[in-house]
Amino acid sequence: MAKLRAALIGATGLAGQQFIAALKDHPYFELTGLAASPRSAGKTYGEALRTASGMTGWFVQEKLAPQVAAMKVVSGDALEARDYDLVFSAVEADVARELEPKLARDIPVFSAASAFRYEADVPLVIPPVNAAHAPLVREQQRRRGWKGFIVPSPNCTTTGLAVTLAPLAERFGVKAVIMTSLQAMSGAGRSPGVIGMDILDNVIPYIPKEEHKVEVETKKILGALDAAGSAITPHDVRVSCTCTRVNVLEGHTESVFVSLASKATVADVTQAMREWRGAEVANNLPSSPPAWIELFDDPFRPQPRLDRETHGGMATTVGRVREDGVLENGFKYVLVSHNTKMGAARGAILGAELLRAQGLLG
């Protein structure tokens, strides 16, 4: 079967670069188009990355493929849907709100942007957690008269939290969650990003809109699609969080306190996480890790520098699972999740792989 032709908008940003790295030699998708801001249009991708100092601004670990560096970049609003089979989007929310619907009229759009996450007819997909929500795209097409659709990936902070809550919700039920995040600088992107002198020797105690995103998205992701496939009923879990920015390059760390609906022991909780495989359809996708959650017994793990790349940045690592004496049936743990891989680009590609496996791309 021929590979599907994929375009990428927002190609020069940090998330866009992660998309490019993840799509290299992909078995299903071939990157055939690159789009960015008008100032990059008409340049080769390599030229578009060049900074005023002459440095090539390629910031991911994987090498930039010469054939990608030689590709011409077009302006995002000049991208023609008829030339592609699907689009990956790594643009800011305000740009996404304008560009993504234009493309979705004709072809599927898989987005790392927040613009459409909260629409009633838009699934917010983490494949192992809620693959059953994906058919909501048919309702989206029906309501909007589109041939394509928009499937956003969740906020990067929500992703690791939702992955670790899923096995607990399935086995014990979850009533309430309190979470404090220590989020990597890369989550802010490079433009405008976080100014080095602000974050050095410091913790920024507030990230605009982040806490609301986590609280709303977690309930939607853990919710249930109705029998008609037309709406998602949010989970009734109560979520409260504080989101901070710390002097770490990649990998979000989160301290999680959860109140379970039924009694359990630490051994029960760790067993639930270790044994969890999530939705069967999500386990044989090209980007799927061998395990979605990896647990540590070492009380000094997980750490972002040591553990963010676990299974190619697609696994959530967990440690320090303990009982909590304040919450009813309370437990607490620490997680690390790769914010620009599973939490952004590779997570969005995983979503596209899922919908292909479910026969929803055609």
Side-chain angles (χ1 to χ4, degrees), residues 213-356:
K213 291 177 182 178
V214 174
E215 291 167 3
V216 173
E217 291 177 22
T218 301
K219 294 167 74 73
K220 183 172 183 177
I221 292 163
L222 296 178
L225 184 66
D226 65 20
S230 60
I232 294 170
T233 301
H235 197 286
D236 60 3
V237 61
R238 302 188 305 278
V239 183
S240 176
C241 62
T242 298
C243 295
T244 74
R245 187 80 67 194
V246 298
N247 191 14
V248 170
L249 181 61
E250 299 267 22
H252 289 351
T253 302
E254 301 175 24
S255 174
V256 182
F257 293 71
V258 57
S259 173
L260 302 181
S262 61
K263 289 189 178 297
T265 64
V266 168
D268 294 332
V269 169
T270 57
Q271 182 182 30
M273 288 188 179
R274 281 197 170 101
E275 293 180 350
W276 186 70
R277 295 294 176 264
E280 184 176 353
V281 68
N283 289 320
N284 296 307
L285 303 174
S287 299
S288 298
W292 299 103
I293 301 173
E294 291 287 0
L295 264 77
F296 289 103
D297 295 322
D298 182 345
F300 292 94
R301 305 283 286 276
Q303 298 178 24
R305 191 172 67 183
L306 298 178
D307 302 312
R308 60 194 170 208
E309 294 291 344
T310 300
H311 300 322
M314 296 300 285
T316 300
T317 51
V318 174
R320 300 208 67 207
V321 181
R322 295 153 289 153
E323 290 186 4
D324 175 73
V326 175
L327 296 177
E328 181 183 5
N329 297 326
F331 292 86
K332 50 194 174 185
Y333 56 90
V334 175
L335 70 84
V336 167
S337 178
H338 201 303
N339 54 297
T340 61
K341 291 187 176 180
M342 180 60 175
R346 292 176 190 262
I349 293 168
L350 184 73
E353 295 167 0
L354 172 72
L355 269 72
R356 178 187 180 276

Side-chain angles (χ1 to χ4, degrees), residues 66-340:
Q67 61 269 31
V68 176
M71 290 175 66
K72 286 287 185 181
V73 178
V74 302
S75 178
D77 56 11
L79 203 68
E80 296 286 350
R82 64 174 177 266
D83 296 328
Y84 306 99
D85 299 305
L86 75 162
V87 171
F88 294 107
S89 174
V91 295
E92 295 294 328
D94 55 344
V95 179
R97 187 160 290 280
E98 178 181 349
L99 286 183
E100 291 179 0
K102 292 179 181 178
L103 296 163
R105 292 189 188 108
D106 296 296
I107 56 176
V109 176
F110 294 89
S111 176
S114 64
F116 293 93
R117 287 178 188 156
Y118 313 111
E119 302 284 337
D121 58 355
V122 175
L124 194 54
V125 174
I126 301 176
V129 176
N130 61 351
H133 291 190
L136 184 61
V137 297
R138 295 303 189 213
E139 177 68 11
Q140 184 186 143
Q141 291 172 319
R142 186 190 68 78
R143 290 187 188 182
R144 301 178 187 236
W146 290 350
K147 295 179 183 176
F149 49 77
I150 297 172
V151 173
S153 53
N155 173 272
C156 52
T157 314
T158 308
T159 299
L161 179 63
V163 166
T164 58
L165 290 177
L168 305 183
E170 291 175 13
R171 188 166 299 190
F172 312 109
V174 293
K175 296 171 63 177
V177 178
I178 300 171
M179 184 272 285
T180 299
S181 68
L182 296 86
Q183 296 180 213
M185 295 170 62
S186 58
R190 294 192 61 86
S191 179
V194 179
I195 299 172
M197 286 297 289
D198 287 346
I199 194 70
L200 186 65
D201 189 33
N202 207 6
V203 174
I204 309 300
Y206 174 62
I207 303 173
K209 301 180 181 179
E210 195 81 356
E211 292 158 2
H212 177 73
K213 291 177 182 178
V214 174
E215 291 167 3
V216 173
E217 291 177 22
T218 301
K219 294 167 74 73
K220 183 172 183 177
I221 292 163
L222 296 178
L225 184 66
D226 65 20
S230 60
I232 294 170
T233 301
H235 197 286
D236 60 3
V237 61
R238 302 188 305 278
V239 183
S240 176
C241 62
T242 298
C243 295
T244 74
R245 187 80 67 194
V246 298
N247 191 14
V248 170
L249 181 61
E250 299 267 22
H252 289 351
T253 302
E254 301 175 24
S255 174
V256 182
F257 293 71
V258 57
S259 173
L260 302 181
S262 61
K263 289 189 178 297
T265 64
V266 168
D268 294 332
V269 169
T270 57
Q271 182 182 30
M273 288 188 179
R274 281 197 170 101
E275 293 180 350
W276 186 70
R277 295 294 176 264
E280 184 176 353
V281 68
N283 289 320
N284 296 307
L285 303 174
S287 299
S288 298
W292 299 103
I293 301 173
E294 291 287 0
L295 264 77
F296 289 103
D297 295 322
D298 182 345
F300 292 94
R301 305 283 286 276
Q303 298 178 24
R305 191 172 67 183
L306 298 178
D307 302 312
R308 60 194 170 208
E309 294 291 344
T310 300
H311 300 322
M314 296 300 285
T316 300
T317 51
V318 174
R320 300 208 67 207
V321 181
R322 295 153 289 153
E323 290 186 4
D324 175 73
V326 175
L327 296 177
E328 181 183 5
N329 297 326
F331 292 86
K332 50 194 174 185
Y333 56 90
V334 175
L335 70 84
V336 167
S337 178
H338 201 303
N339 54 297
T340 61

